Amino acid sequence: MPIAAPTFPAPLQSTLSLSKLSQFDLTPSIGTEFSKETQISALLSNPVAIRDLSILIAQRGVVFFRDQDLTTEQQKIFIDKLGRESGRPAESSFHIHPLTPTSSELGDEVLKIVPAFGFRDMLEQPSNLPRASGGWHSDITFEPFPSNYAALKLTTIPKVGGDTLWASGYEAYDRLSPALQQFLATLTATHSGEAFKKVKSINIRSPRGHPENAGDDLLAVHPVIRTNPVTGWKSLYVNKAFTKRINELSLDESDHLLSYLFAHINQNHDLQVRFKWKEGSLAVWDNRSTFHTVTNDYGKENREGNRVISIGERPYYDPNSISRREALRDGAGSDLA
Ligand SMILES: [Fe+2]
């Protein structure tokens, strides 16, 4: 009996209900910012706006909002609705970080963002600071069902510094030669969060937002090129923090190819956007098609915030999907104003 070809969801179509709201693109490739008149708290009961926002975030990679009155509880409601309105699997919910203590101050679903472990100590010997480019990642790709959307609101902001950068996985894909694009689409990679196990004092939480995000191995295999189900566009899907090995290649080949792809992401500043936080700023990004990193340049000042991550679908590659540039050329991205 012949095996049926896999079927993939059709991309979502926006109603353009957000186009009347004041907004501007921060770069051609990635990042859109709304003016402070748009309050997410006022959109929570508007499913059409939430659905259109889920599409806009998936298209633009990251979307910023200023002077938000959003509470942490509303931040959870918002990220949950983004996933539901854009068709996430029914079993997917909020991610619970493997290291979240059982009596977490803000509840299991909210991760308190604080300065990186050991960062203060490293400041004493600046020559020991890792390269700024070393922090690029997509959140929690060591999970079999990783994140679709994430929202971060900082509560304590340094006087200067502490910016966050995002990079577009769509644009990273589009800039590769057709021959390399085709080759990468045949490959899978192993993603690992095993570094978290070094924090021995804390038990690994399980399950973590999906029944298959369970156990304590913190390993997952994903396609190297991933199709975003909301846009239907292809994205590069390897990141320096968690992607350890391209499975179909020798270790030597894998190390060299991954090294090239990580540099491709962090050395092309014209596929990146840099965001300066202010009080009330909210960033919402699509973890399927972007990478991000903090800037550890704020010395001994404090930088804290609350991050909520939702779980999406198991990553897949649809050979019939198109790239972002192809979509824009064809006019399929006409709501990217
Ligand atoms: Fe992150």
Side-chain angles (χ1 to χ4, degrees), residues 87-98:
R88 75 171 185 210
E91 303 84 8
S92 294
S93 60
F94 297 107
H95 188 246
I96 300 169
H97 195 276

Side-chain angles (χ1 to χ4, degrees), residues 171-233:
E171 183 64 13
Y173 172 82
D174 264 319
R175 292 191 188 189
L176 299 170
S177 65
L180 187 50
Q181 288 175 339
Q182 287 167 24
F183 176 55
L184 293 178
T186 66
L187 304 176
T188 63
T190 297
H191 297 238
S192 169
E194 288 179 303
F196 292 126
K197 293 189 195 174
K198 291 179 184 156
V199 185
K200 294 198 189 323
S201 59
I202 297 176
N203 292 325
I204 299 291
R205 295 292 298 270
S206 179
R208 300 175 295 275
H210 188 283
E212 294 201 33
N213 292 348
D216 62 1
D217 63 352
L218 305 183
L219 287 170
V221 172
H222 298 308
V224 170
I225 304 299
R226 178 180 186 180
T227 302
N228 187 313
V230 175
T231 57
W233 300 344

Side-chain angles (χ1 to χ4, degrees), residues 137 139 285 292 307:
H137 67 284
D139 294 315
W285 63 96
H292 59 277
R307 186 191 75 176

Side-chain angles (χ1 to χ4, degrees), residues 33-79:
E33 182 171 328
F34 280 79
S35 64
K36 64 182 180 185
E37 287 75 32
T38 296
Q39 291 290 324
I40 293 298
S41 58
L43 297 178
L44 290 177
S45 56
N46 183 341
V48 174
I50 295 290
R51 187 173 180 278
D52 283 349
L53 207 43
S54 76
I55 298 169
L56 184 73
I57 295 162
Q59 289 175 334
R60 296 294 303 159
V62 58
V63 174
F64 304 105
F65 302 89
R66 296 290 193 182
D67 295 315
Q68 295 295 297
D69 59 12
L70 197 73
T71 65
T72 304
E73 196 53 39
Q74 287 174 318
Q75 187 178 341
K76 282 173 57 179
I77 293 168
F78 174 49
I79 211 76

